[in-house]
Amino acid sequence: SVRTAASVRSLRPPAVQKGPMFLLDAMTPGAPRDLILSASDLVAAGECEFGLLRALDEKLGRLPKADHPIDPMLQRAGELGGVHEARVLNSLVEQYGDWNPLTGSGVYRLTHDRARSREGYAAQHGETLQALASGADVVFQAAFFDGQFVGYADFLVKQDDGRYAVWDTKLARHAKTSALLQLAAYGDQLVAAGFEPAPEVVLVLGVSLGQSAVYSILSLLDEMTRPQQPIGQQTTSINTSVVPDRP
């Protein structure tokens, strides 16, 4: 079945559309809430760590929320990005067909209609892993949640050797570091879940005549984990929701 950009956007979870970190109730009643990071926070940290930590202060109520006016150009770019993603989704459905639970093949689509809760995120994560274990040719909007990170990969595409390659669609002429960080984060989540990812990640670029940029996931993971103080440690160290005794 053909998907339009509007229908693709309806499949995306709120976290994909908004993206920033958020606080989630802890598993233990009465315990401080946990800070959950997203793929967009990795991008923000790569661009400006101070900006990310300032956003955390806003989230904790220490600073007034910055008023960012709507940028019509960015809004239009987002719409065109949805068109590009829908085009890629339709091409994959044309190649592999819709999901067939009897054969465990085709394009599996996660709808993300669950509540934004720990249980909901865990259920999305579990559904993604089940789709991968079932052998889906493609998983669209694959969800990852490990208790500290939540993210949604545009596509996980099975390769001839059974491993899954992380694909992302970007309305861009060239690959950007921010997009590669996101791909590396999803590859890292695959590893943590027990699935060996394909050795290369793919950016399907929107304004390069349909060309794709391919990168080594091992190099990206090395770059992402090299900093002396990972972003999770930086945010935890100043988050009173996680460290309640901080003055």
Side-chain angles (χ1 to χ4, degrees):
S1 60
V2 175
R3 289 285 183 178
T4 64
S7 64
V8 167
R9 283 196 298 274
S10 70
L11 293 174
R12 293 177 181 168
V16 171
Q17 297 171 358
K18 298 181 180 179
M21 66 184 81
F22 58 94
L23 296 171
L24 198 62
D25 288 340
M27 296 181 65
T28 304
R33 290 184 294 172
D34 295 329
L35 178 67
I36 309 299
L37 297 173
S38 70
S40 63
D41 295 316
L42 297 178
V43 173
E47 295 174 346
C48 177
E49 291 183 5
F50 172 79
L52 177 73
L53 298 179
R54 189 192 188 285
L56 176 59
D57 277 338
E58 290 182 10
K59 187 68 64 175
L60 296 175
R62 297 186 185 137
L63 291 174
K65 187 174 182 180
D67 183 19
H68 299 291
I70 296 176
D71 187 329
M73 183 174 293
L74 290 178
Q75 199 169 35
R76 177 57 177 162
E79 294 171 355
L80 293 175
V83 171
H84 174 46
E85 184 178 78
R87 187 185 302 121
V88 174
L89 173 60
N90 288 331
S91 69
L92 290 170
V93 171
E94 183 177 349
Q95 180 178 356
Y96 296 106
D98 282 310
W99 170 246
N100 185 337
L102 297 179
T103 61
S105 61
V107 178
Y108 189 99
R109 302 181 178 102
L110 273 79
T111 57
H112 305 291
D113 56 356
R114 297 182 175 90
R116 296 188 69 185
S117 63
R118 184 177 298 276
E119 293 76 15
Y121 289 121
Q124 293 171 5
H125 180 77
E127 184 180 352
T128 295
L129 300 189
Q130 181 60 45
L132 295 174
S134 298
D137 294 297
V138 179
V139 180
F140 174 61
Q141 287 298 321
F144 295 107
F145 177 66
D146 63 4
Q148 295 179 312
F149 173 88
V150 65
Y152 301 86
D154 284 352
F155 302 96
L156 299 178
V157 182
K158 187 167 69 172
Q159 307 300 288
D160 292 339
D161 61 4
R163 292 182 290 183
Y164 283 88
V166 184
W167 285 26
D168 199 23
T169 56
K170 293 295 181 186
L171 192 68
R173 192 175 299 275
H174 305 288
K176 296 182 179 180
T177 303
S178 57
L180 298 177
L181 280 172
Q182 290 179 309
L183 290 170
Y186 301 141
D188 188 51
Q189 288 291 311
L190 276 175
V191 172
F195 292 89
E196 182 183 358
E200 295 176 330
V201 296
V202 178
L203 276 176
V204 186
L205 303 175
V207 291
S208 295
L209 301 178
Q211 295 181 358
S212 300
V214 180
Y215 290 84
S216 165
I217 193 170
L218 294 178
S219 297
L220 294 175
L221 287 173
D222 178 65
E223 290 294 330
M224 188 179 74
T225 57
R226 184 177 298 174
Q228 294 181 353
Q229 188 180 25
I231 188 62
Q233 293 181 19
Q234 295 183 47
T235 52
T236 299
S237 66
I238 66 167
N239 175 16
T240 55
S241 179
V242 178
V243 188
D245 57 348
R246 181 182 180 274

